[in-house]
Amino acid sequence: MPTEGNDVRWLFADQLGPHFLDGDDQRVLLVESRRVFARRRFHRQKAHLVLSAMRHRAAELGERCTFRQADRYRDVFDHRPRAVRGPLTVSHPTTFAARDFVQSLDRVQMLPARGYATEMDEFARWAAGRRGHQLRMEDFYRGTRRRLDLLMDGDEPLGGRWNYDAENREPPPKPKARPELTDPDQRSVLGVPGPWWPDEDEIDEQVRADLDRWEADGDVTFVGRDGPRQFPATRTEALTALRHFLDHRLRAFGRYEDAMMSGDPWMAHSLLSATINLGLLDPVEVVHAAESAYRDRPDQYSLAAVEGFVRQVIGWREYMWQLYWWFGPEYRHLNELRATKPLPKWFVELDADAVQARCLSDVLGDLRDHGWVHHIPRLMVLGNYALQRGWRPDQLTDWFHRSFVDGYDWVMLTNVVGMSQYADGGRMVTKPYAGGGAYINRMSDYCGQCPYSPTVRVGEQACPFAAGYWWFVHRHRDRFAGNHRMRQAIRGLDRLRDLEALVEQEEHRGSRGP
Ligand code: FAD
Ligand code: SF4
């Protein structure tokens, strides 16, 4: 359906940046659906952020925008407001369900996706050319770097290397090596200023009042604690947060990317995922800005830090987005390891106080208070525990989606079903991300403050991650017998003298809060 340039652009709640519009005078339709929040139990701060961002966008667009608050999306399309009765266009939505809905509507044209670095057709061609071989993020990432001419020196990667992963995996600095914190705002023990935080305004006040009222009416329930909004809700805030990260924190990115520190959930992470996922920043502008920062002031940054960051945004993020569509809608139902235990209440409720294990309690507490923790707590604490305990991957996917400010369907499936739970049988990763107490002990400062001991497998002090790891390998030893990357683990299992007692102990512990 040709639009003849007078189309109204329908924006979903994750398409809020300027790159989703074609001009400064284009008219816009924005729909806020209350039922989305009634159907599922979201983190309170996530509901706040999404509503705040949409309402800020509607206010910015002013008369150009038809903003409808409806129970369901369909209500708006069954009785289209006069202002949007003409041709309507929308960028490719970010979920299968929304795409199918758009395609079911009359007089709505779906445009190619925006806000990603690679066209879906291009990825499909790349992936189809690798049939029979495992798709590798590294190959895709290098191709994208070349195509965007990003951190390149002609045809070669800048600095002669594509990958600085080996340098970006250090344990947290020891307390003695940590710099003195003189400025109270300097919250990061890595010696860089803490993240930039936005100020709330009257739109946030209204959002908070609405959420309180919906909750009081009994229509909607939330998990997590309310608190000041911590993530950008406008383009201006998004650009400020990006600038702050590039100027003050990017230099410390990478080196401690895999480390976890109690009392510092943010470390040197960018905190940009929620902002990019709302569409307030385009990932391509983000990585070009990081490259410019490096090229303008090479003495301020290591290439390892900048490449490490670029790899996350244009490598991992982009790859996850493309695989969501490539693997298709059935991917969400995969459960290769036949994990059938339901998620326990303490986990669903983010009840950090119900847990003694310091790592799990700290991470759940941060999630409860902020709706965010960084990648390694997601993968190696929350996901790892679920994997070890045999919790249902579909329930875990839903939980991650609802509990995190940056959770969206497209980013959940490959990250949770594939990367974290190995529920796809290894299409994403070559071995399960299961780790014991020794890993957490090496990569964090948690174990010293924990009633359990990371090296003890059986008995009062048995670390639930250490014992849980062996319980997991034991349960799946036949499944992994042919996986050469699991061979060492299975050999280790055969050497355990206390396996019987360990299995009995962990079967007893099951899914209870450890
Ligand atoms: P940084 O550490 O600063 O990284 C920079 C950016 O890279 C991020 O902002 C993000 O946009 C991107 N990125 C890096 N890794 C990934 C990845 N695996 N998938 C997608 N983007 C990535 N990311 C989400 O955006 N939403 C989610 O709901 C989400 N759930 C996750 C669940 C699990 C089990 C795991 C293992 C990872 C998940 N991630 C998710 C990926 C990653 O953990 C977050 O993007 C990151 O922690 C966000 O913090 P940050 O912005 O400070 O990231
Ligand atoms: Fe976590 Fe085990 Fe370390 Fe305690 S001892 S913090 S449970 S890894």
Side-chain angles (χ1 to χ4, degrees):
M1 182 173 65
T3 62
E4 293 164 9
N6 61 350
D7 56 307
V8 176
R9 181 63 40 81
W10 167 21
L11 298 178
F12 277 97
D14 53 1
Q15 300 178 333
L16 301 181
H19 50 291
F20 292 96
L21 298 183
D22 288 337
D24 289 345
D25 55 355
Q26 185 167 34
R27 283 181 303 132
V28 168
L29 170 67
L30 264 172
V31 181
E32 179 185 298
S33 156
R34 177 163 164 178
R35 189 167 296 194
V36 169
F37 298 104
R39 269 201 306 255
R40 301 161 82 192
R41 213 166 150 220
F42 286 95
H43 197 293
R44 166 76 191 226
Q45 293 185 41
K46 176 174 190 173
H48 186 120
L49 177 65
V50 173
L51 291 185
S52 176
M54 281 192 90
R55 293 181 187 183
H56 275 98
R57 187 64 172 131
E60 264 165 25
L61 291 165
E63 291 187 350
R64 281 167 63 197
C65 180
T66 302
F67 180 52
R68 282 287 178 274
Q69 291 172 302
D71 194 33
R72 301 174 316 152
Y73 273 103
R74 191 167 284 284
D75 299 340
V76 175
F77 292 91
D78 286 348
H79 310 283
R80 271 205 201 185
R82 189 191 300 272
V84 296
R85 288 210 182 125
L88 208 55
T89 50
V90 59
S91 298
H92 195 300
T94 57
T95 68
F96 289 109
R99 181 200 62 183
D100 294 347
F101 175 60
V102 164
Q103 288 177 332
S104 74
L105 296 171
D106 286 337
R107 291 175 296 138
V108 177
Q109 183 188 2
M110 192 171 76
L111 306 172
R114 298 187 186 188
Y116 299 91
T118 311
E119 301 268 338
M120 286 181 194
D121 290 353
E122 193 176 334
F123 182 86
R125 275 195 300 279
W126 175 83
R130 275 163 178 71
R131 253 185 229 292
H133 302 278
Q134 188 147 42
L135 299 179
R136 287 184 65 228
M137 195 291 283
E138 185 68 32
D139 299 339
F140 169 70
Y141 164 69
R142 291 181 187 187
T144 310
R145 282 245 320 255
R146 279 202 183 91
R147 186 166 45 77
L148 297 179
D149 192 22
L150 191 68
L151 294 179
M152 296 297 292
D153 185 2
D155 287 341
E156 296 301 316
L158 199 63
R161 278 167 64 184
W162 290 101
N163 191 327
Y164 289 81
D165 261 2
E167 284 169 36
N168 286 345
R169 301 269 177 256
E170 282 194 35
K174 295 270 174 285
K176 267 198 223 135
R178 292 178 193 165
E180 281 291 309
L181 298 184
T182 45
D183 176 351
D185 277 346
Q186 193 173 314
R187 290 180 49 195
S188 169
V189 291
L190 302 181
V192 290
W196 175 85
W197 305 119
D199 288 325
E200 291 199 359
D201 61 10
E202 62 285 357
I203 292 182
D204 290 296
E205 225 172 272
Q206 185 60 54
V207 168
R208 181 158 288 113
D210 286 350
L211 293 178
D212 284 345
R213 186 163 41 78
W214 296 356
E215 210 172 6
D217 290 349
D219 294 356
V220 173
T221 52
F222 297 107
V223 290
R225 288 187 180 154
D226 192 12
R229 175 167 61 79
Q230 292 186 293
F231 298 88
T234 66
R235 172 77 177 163
T236 308
E237 289 181 351
L239 290 171
T240 308
L242 173 62
R243 195 70 263 154
H244 178 87
F245 170 69
L246 296 178
D247 288 348
H248 303 292
R249 295 166 52 77
L250 173 61
R251 69 181 60 110
F253 191 90
R255 187 166 170 200
Y256 302 115
E257 209 180 322
D258 281 8
M260 297 176 280
M261 297 175 88
S262 49
D264 184 7
W266 324 109
M267 300 188 69
H269 290 275
S270 71
L271 273 68
L272 289 173
S273 53
T275 314
I276 306 175
N277 292 355
L278 280 168
L280 290 170
L281 291 174
D282 186 317
V284 177
E285 77 175 331
V286 169
V287 289
H288 279 310
E291 175 175 26
S292 299
Y294 174 72
R295 288 197 188 261
D296 293 349
R297 288 167 288 162
D299 54 315
Q300 301 272 309
Y301 305 92
S302 71
L303 191 50
V306 179
E307 191 279 322
F309 176 67
V310 164
R311 161 179 297 269
Q312 300 307 311
V313 178
I314 222 71
W316 279 111
R317 180 178 190 276
E318 192 69 25
Y319 191 59
M320 294 306 195
W321 159 256
Q322 298 293 350
L323 287 182
Y324 175 80
W325 299 101
W326 178 248
F327 287 158
E330 293 309 313
Y331 190 81
R332 77 175 66 244
H333 304 300
L334 298 180
N335 189 358
E336 181 78 18
L337 298 182
R338 303 218 164 80
T340 53
K341 299 273 187 302
L343 261 55
K345 192 157 178 257
W346 58 268
F347 192 83
V348 172
E349 302 284 338
L350 315 183
D351 187 357
D353 300 333
V355 178
Q356 304 296 311
R358 184 60 208 255
C359 53
L360 203 44
S361 170
D362 201 79
V363 169
L364 270 184
D366 285 339
L367 183 56
R368 176 197 62 204
D369 295 346
H370 310 294
W372 182 96
V373 292
H374 76 72
H375 187 72
I376 296 303
R378 295 185 203 205
L379 188 63
M380 298 311 294
V381 177
L382 301 170
N384 186 16
Y385 204 69
L387 180 70
Q388 293 182 356
R389 302 285 137 185
W391 295 347
R392 285 177 48 175
D394 58 342
Q395 289 190 0
L396 189 72
T397 304
D398 181 60
W399 177 85
F400 266 106
H401 183 162
R402 294 182 291 100
S403 311
F404 280 79
V405 285
D406 56 9
Y408 290 85
D409 196 55
W410 69 264
V411 77
M412 293 333 322
L413 294 199
T414 40
N415 269 310
V416 182
V417 174
M419 185 183 282
S420 159
Q421 298 302 294
Y422 203 78
D424 64 356
R427 288 176 81 182
M428 273 279 313
V429 290
T430 49
K431 82 182 203 10
Y433 270 103
Y439 172 86
I440 295 177
N441 190 28
R442 187 168 69 253
M443 296 309 292
S444 79
D445 60 358
Y446 288 136
C447 300
Q449 314 159 42
C450 182
Y452 303 111
S453 169
T455 50
V456 177
R457 289 187 300 267
V458 178
E460 285 253 305
Q461 282 201 308
C463 162
F465 280 88
Y469 173 77
W470 292 115
W471 188 37
F472 169 79
V473 178
H474 166 73
R475 291 201 313 273
H476 298 291
R477 67 171 301 150
D478 293 342
R479 169 77 182 66
F480 293 130
N483 182 331
H484 75 279
R485 297 204 62 205
M486 290 298 284
R487 214 166 279 155
Q488 206 180 338
I490 292 172
R491 263 191 235 125
L493 188 71
D494 291 337
R495 284 197 293 270
L496 295 189
R497 297 231 175 93
D498 48 11
L499 183 61
E500 207 174 310
L502 182 151
V503 169
E504 194 183 327
Q505 166 190 287
E506 292 313 304
E507 279 174 352
H508 178 69
R509 193 192 323 251
S511 297
R512 281 182 299 162

